[in-house]
Amino acid sequence: MTLFDARQLTWPRTRELAEAGTVALLPVGSTEAHGPHLPLSVDVVIAEEVCRRVAARLSRDVVVFPPVAYALTDFAAPFAGTVTLNADVARQMLEGILRGIVSGGFHTIAVVNHHLEPAHFRVVHEAAKAVQGGTARVLVPDHRRAPTGPLLGHEFMHGGSHAGRYETSLMLAAAPSLVNVAAMKALPTLEVDLPGVIKGGAKNFLECGGPDAYFGAPAEATAEEGERLFTIITDATVASIEAALT
Ligand SMILES: [Zn+2]
């Protein structure tokens, strides 16, 4: 249905939309290093693009709130430009934003998070749970989980879901002007089982064996693959929101 950008709405129009059962979407990303070929804004760009695609497909109108561009991002902290918040600050910020949206009268809010650091995703789930209640449903569609995660490919599940083929393909589809294609094509594949080394105690991307803040195979990324991945993510996000609306 129709996408309304909260940055362009007045408060009376926002109230009208909330009272009409419009769904609120909150895109969440981070400001963090994504290899030498992608900008710091990758997670925000992807989250906003998913919101646009979800709005086009959903059976209700949608208000997209301004994105959350800062997060807990300890793994990329050694790299210039990364801004990390501690877990308490990040949780309180997200809770505050979600409470603000709920107090405006929205009953269904979906947090569209595309910063996948496990500790951060935990914070997102915790903040949503804290605000959830009464007439407010705060959903956190989680595309890491089955059945969606495995559809996103081996690299996503077991390798470089950070600035590799997966994220680079999404960026080529959503914002190709932000991808340095020459730098991307020059990057050798870096096979690291990121979930495995994180479980093993690695605390940042350097300790994970990623000295340039990327993993996987960015050189293999294509816009076509990005389109395919966006469709899978959008399908899953739409399904989880529609399930809550019925
Ligand atoms: Zn990312």
Side-chain angles (χ1 to χ4, degrees), residues 30 32-34 42-43 46 114-116 161-163 167:
S30 67
E32 68 165 355
H34 276 83
V42 163
D43 299 344
I46 294 172
H114 283 271
H115 172 47
L116 303 181
S161 60
H162 188 83
E167 276 188 322

Side-chain angles (χ1 to χ4, degrees), residues 15 17 43 71-72 86 114 137 161 177 216:
R15 186 177 60 185
L17 289 167
D43 299 344
L72 185 169
N86 76 44
H114 283 271
R137 287 166 297 190
S161 60
S177 66

